[in-house]
Amino acid sequence: LDVPPRAEPISKLPEELRDHLTREFVHTSSVTMPAASDILLEPPMERGEMKPRSSEECSFASVSDRQKHERFFYDAVKILLEDAVFKGTSRSNKVLEWRDPIKLMQLLDLKLEDSPVTHDKLLALMKDTIQYSVKTGHPYFVNQLFSSVDPYGLIGQWLGDALNPSVYTYEVSPVFTLMEETVLSEMRKIVGFTTGDGIFCPGGSIANGYAISCARYHKLPQVKTQGLHGLPRLVLYTSADAHYSIKKMAVLQGIGSDNVCLIKTDKRGKMDVNDLQCKINETIKEGAVPFMVSATAGTTVLGAFDPITQIADICRTHKLWLHVDAAWGGGALISKKYKHLLNGIERADSVTWNPHKLLTAPQQCSTFLTRHPDILSACHSANATYLFQKDKFYDTKYDTGDKHI
Amino acid sequence: LDVPPRAEPISKLPEELRDHLTREFVHTSSVTMPAASDILLEPPMERGEMKPRSSEECSFASVSDRQKHERFFYDAVKILLEDAVFKGTSRSNKVLEWRDPIKLMQLLDLKLEDSPVTHDKLLALMKDTIQYSVKTGHPYFVNQLFSSVDPYGLIGQWLGDALNPSVYTYEVSPVFTLMEETVLSEMRKIVGFTTGDGIFCPGGSIANGYAISCARYHKLPQVKTQGLHGLPRLVLYTSADAHYSIKKMAVLQGIGSDNVCLIKTDKRGKMDVNDLQCKINETIKEGAVPFMVSATAGTTVLGAFDPITQIADICRTHKLWLHVDAAWGGGALISKKYKHLLNGIERADSVTWNPHKLLTAPQQCSTFLTRHPDILSACHSANATYLFQKDKFYDTKYDTGDKHI
């Protein structure tokens, strides 16, 4: 299976691979004609390219073909817009039609088929999927820290899907690379960073993980090559009400959950800075090394904002990386009335901010922002030469993939 | 900003948050009437709900409204299908209309606006985005280990976007939770695991990271609480041609790049098992602890398949976790002619397999599969009680989120 590493016409691929991309496993089945009400929205018929629907061929074709797929695409979009977007977000309908897992498995035909099914069967399955799914864009869906199906965000996602990009280098994703940097740069300005860097992450948990990774590297750069073995015991601090991802990512990164020091909160759920100072002193007495505080701007359950300015003062004293997990509460930065809740965030070393939460961008839209312009590259680059070589015919500062894990 | 943790009608939210979700910043601008050729596909006009297009209002509305958005949705879908899907995948068009970053920034209007723009402006920006993006579904786009915009996969993505789910618990994502387990279970069967577990990952890199995490926990479970400090030096092995994510994730996880031992490859790019055996012996002599081999099924540049059976024998002897990074080559498992290349994969402890590569599923579709049924939970659970409590009114084995990082 020695596929050449450079682009070749599909005709030069080994036969079976080529077949995989183009072959269609066709069988014919009879399907009933659709009711008139189902054809409110028809694809352009004047082209005369549509097959009659009554003897529909089924296929596993992986390349979109106007003749085979145009009607399916438009029928599917009609269902999506009607059922999921318009009806699914109307106050007169339910957020969820609840079924127990066992019952739902009986109601839905989830079994994997050996042969292709008709487009009508697929459309029916789509309708079922919508019917029994939670309508997260419904105005009454507000308890999971995200909501809304923003119409422009939705079309933006559909655009991304239709182009199916991978955004690791400029050459493979020129437009999206520039879009990302435009948005990240604006977000850094809003945070108050005058310089820095940022990346989009698969979720707020991973964004918090980037903070731990950068903080650790900033304190002890040799961790990149040597690992934690042989280094002092590192301790990070976050409030008892912080998101569970801080602990999860500390476990993943070999810090260990015992070295995630949970700081007391006051009755409103804010971090107690006196307790923070005490715990840092204890760590130092134990001979371990404090390296990071993760403050939370908008805790998960209570929505509390930690006192960032006071925490920043402590971090300055002890040379600790200050991270602000503003995954949820970051949205308040664009509110004149509430942005004071994040006072001091401009002094942070890094920030997690998820526009898919309070700003109703589609999921996932999670960002990691830092005021250190070079640390993401320094901390994470592996310099894979086949992808991130530096002798390209354009400025490779736009190849951002090597900053990522 | 004390938003209640439980679902509440939007009317009970603090005023400014409610405003954010519903307010529209409206201004009016004159737009030109569309040409007749632009109206091939009109949304259903008989409802009489559409506004005249010539005095279009602009808004930042975050809730889809039929009157305001229906025509925009259908106009956008028409552009997506025509330009990105049909024309973008036709052999008679280019894979990419290349522009240098500086030139492209001049051609595209990427600046962020203070006020809303018209739908026509948005549609024009979409057309520009498609024009200057790489058409990854084009038959000549084959050098990045993924290709095709599968028509059924595309609609599946659009469905997911329209429902905008978060798939961490059954209650918030009943249908997708069951779908995921159906697919993962079938993939485990194809690999040859008779029991086990699996999760979808944000990409193959993270999937490989799960392997390192599980392997490390399997060898030394105390790593979860204590971290790597104070534990023996851990070493993992992979071939010199393995994907860079093995090193990246080992760095992230505190193993250190020096402890990623690169094994020689033969002239076809396959791992040299004699060198593997030698390197393991050296590690043991140094007093460090070998814990994992990551074999590759389909290397990035040469497409080589490491000899899994021989590697599995060595792993058994030394009690090492065997991971197979089949992100790309896993697709060969469904080929009668080529599945022998992965002989022995059923003996692996874990497998990375990305259907978005050789199987042309949309990006990202990356999976981590393991034959150990409980290790993902044991290794990663944080038991966040507000989300993953066990006293729910359904079987919480369907709440899979706590297995994830």
Side-chain angles (χ1 to χ4, degrees), chain B residues 3 33 38 51 97 134 146 173 182 218 239 249 289 299 315 348:
Chain B
V3 177
M33 282 297 283
D38 290 343
K51 288 208 164 183
E97 200 171 316
V134 175
F146 71 97
S173 214
T182 303
H218 191 251
S239 96
M249 294 305 298
V289 175
T299 60
C315 286

Side-chain angles (χ1 to χ4, degrees), chain B residues 286-308:
Chain B
E286 291 166 1
V289 175
F291 77 107
M292 170 183 179
V293 178
S294 181
T296 310
T299 60
T300 310
V301 177
L302 294 178
F305 286 74
D306 289 341
I308 301 173

Side-chain angles (χ1 to χ4, degrees), chain A residues 2 16 20 40 46 62 66 82 119 136 144 148 152 161 163 168 225 228 248 254 258 268 335 404, chain B residues 2 16 40 46 62 66 82 119 136 144 148 152 161 163 168 225 228 248 254 258 268 335 358 404:
Chain A
D2 293 321
E16 206 187 62
H20 173 75
L40 267 177
E46 53 273 49
S62 274
R66 186 187 295 276
E82 285 296 318
H119 286 171
T136 68
Q144 301 269 340
S148 177
Y152 308 108
D161 298 339
L163 290 167
Y168 35 57
T225 50
L228 289 164
K248 280 208 176 202
D258 289 351
R268 298 292 296 260
S335 155
H404 289 250
Chain B
D2 292 322
E16 205 186 62
L40 267 177
E46 54 272 52
S62 274
R66 187 186 295 275
E82 285 296 319
H119 286 171
T136 68
Q144 300 270 342
S148 178
Y152 308 109
D161 298 338
L163 291 167
Y168 34 58
T225 50
L228 288 164
K248 280 207 177 203
D258 289 350
R268 300 293 297 260
S335 155
L358 216 48
H404 290 249

Side-chain angles (χ1 to χ4, degrees), chain B residues 70 202 215 251 271 340 360 383 392:
Chain B
E70 188 165 25
V251 167
M271 188 190 286
H340 70 89
T360 68
N383 301 309
K392 291 181 184 173

Side-chain angles (χ1 to χ4, degrees), chain A residues 381-390 392 402, chain B residues 242-245 248 300:
Chain A
S381 65
N383 301 309
T385 49
Y386 64 90
L387 197 56
F388 302 118
Q389 69 270 31
K390 294 297 176 196
K392 291 182 184 172
D402 209 21
Chain B
H243 190 253
Y244 62 80
S245 59
K248 280 207 177 203
T300 310

